[in-house]
């Protein structure tokens, strides 16, 4: 036991010393930039410049290859692992990094992410295990363990690993991402499970609220919550509030259409006590306030058939004679 403790301490000291080198600090900074990128902004470009610098200053460290693999597997691949050539490139870069330094746990994470997205779960688990053997608290590996479980339908176990991921990082943005995935997982699980729908919707809502408690500033975070409230929770007052908040941050169709959807669905619930003329007048007010007519809302391809069905009920009441 004493020998094992000594080995672990030596590995910790070695890792800390590595991070204190100028190259190690540059690598950590670049890795943070890759993770801080949100689809827009300069972070990814800055990270790749640092990766290029490391390819010259530390060519045998594997740092540059890991950073490239991390960027590609995170941002260049769809959730289905496409395009295949980018997936293969990420795996190749990770393997190259590990040949240079077998102790680069993050390289296993980059490789595992590409494999998870391609649904190659056995190979992915091997890489995740290797990463966690090197660093049991490595946030990316914990997250991918949760992802495999989620994709295979083990949602309770997946939540436990997502929470380990959340606890492993100090980044509020990454914590928010973890809660967002828990919310999305329970949201999806509720869709075709009548027996557990109310339970799953409640769990999804708590997760989304925890997401916004960590990071309330993102337009997409707010509109994703509005989508959930419109499509799953049936809380149209809250959906209207969060869609309006998102729209106040950025003008984009998803926020505008979900603002309209919330208002039309509220009207649909109230319209049973209205005459067709009154319902039509109220629908025009919604169209004027949002810029989205009822017909345009019904044609929006991002809405589910359930939501469109509720809008169709309103249309039928307006058309009644």
């Amino acid at each position: 036991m004493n020998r094992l403790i000594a080995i672990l301490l030596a590995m910790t000291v070695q890792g800390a010393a590595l991070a204190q080198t100028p190259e190690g600090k540059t690598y950590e900074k670049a890795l943070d930039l890759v993770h801080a990128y949100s689809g827009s902004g300069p972070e990814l470009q800055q990270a790749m410049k640092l990766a290029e610098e490391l390819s010259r200053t530390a060519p045998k460290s594997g740092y540059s290859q890991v950073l490239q693999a991390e960027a590609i597997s995170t941002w260049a691949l769809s959730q289905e692992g496409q395009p295949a050539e980018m997936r293969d490139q990420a795996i190749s870069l990770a393997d190259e990094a590990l040949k240079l330094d077998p102790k680069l746990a993050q390289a296993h994470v980059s490789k595992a992410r590409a494999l998870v997205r391609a649904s190659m779960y056995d190979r992915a688990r091997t890489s995740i295990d290797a990463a966690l053997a090197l660093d049991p608290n490595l946030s990316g590996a914990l997250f991918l363990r949760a992802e495999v479980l989620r994709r295979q339908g083990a949602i309770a176990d997946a939540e436990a690993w997502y929470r380990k991921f959340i606890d492993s990082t100090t980044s509020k943005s990454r914590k928010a991402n973890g809660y967002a995935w828990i919310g999305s997982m329970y949201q999806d699980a509720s869709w075709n499970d009548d027996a557990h729908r109310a339970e799953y919707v409640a769990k999804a809502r708590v997760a989304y609220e925890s997401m916004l408690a960590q990071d309330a500033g993102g337009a997409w975070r707010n509109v994703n919550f509005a989508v959930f409230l419109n499509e799953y929770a049936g809380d149209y007052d809250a959906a209207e509030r969060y869609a309006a908040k998102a729209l106040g941050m950025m003008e984009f169709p998803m926020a505008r259409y979900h603002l309209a959807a919330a208002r039309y669905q509220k009207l649909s619930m109230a319209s049973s006590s209205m005459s067709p003329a009154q319902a039509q007048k109220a629908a025009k007010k919604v169209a004027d306030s949002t810029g989205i007519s009822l017909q345009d809302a019904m044609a929006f391809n991002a809405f589910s058939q359930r939501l469109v069905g509720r809008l169709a009920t309103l249309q039928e009441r307006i058309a009644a004679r």
Side-chain angles (χ1 to χ4, degrees), residues 191 226-234 236 258 265 302-308 310:
W191 192 253
V227 171
F228 165 76
L229 293 164
N230 265 331
E231 294 269 13
Y232 297 85
Y236 308 130
H258 271 280
Q265 288 179 109
F303 288 162
S304 72
Q305 286 303 307
R306 291 180 185 178
L307 193 158
V308 172
R310 292 192 287 269

Side-chain angles (χ1 to χ4, degrees), residues 108 111-117 119-130 144-145 148:
H108 289 294
K111 181 176 180 177
R113 185 182 296 106
L115 293 167
V116 168
R117 292 194 183 184
S119 301
M120 300 177 183
Y121 299 131
D122 288 341
R123 290 179 62 191
R125 274 190 288 267
T126 298
S127 291
I128 293 167
D129 289 344
L144 289 171
R145 179 78 82 208
V148 171

Side-chain angles (χ1 to χ4, degrees), residues 18 27 33 43-44 52 97 127 136 141 146 156 196 214 235 241 244 289:
L18 195 63
Y27 166 71
L33 286 168
E43 294 88 354
L44 200 59
E52 184 178 355
S127 291
H196 298 94
Q214 291 291 334
D235 187 343
R241 190 164 61 251
S289 68

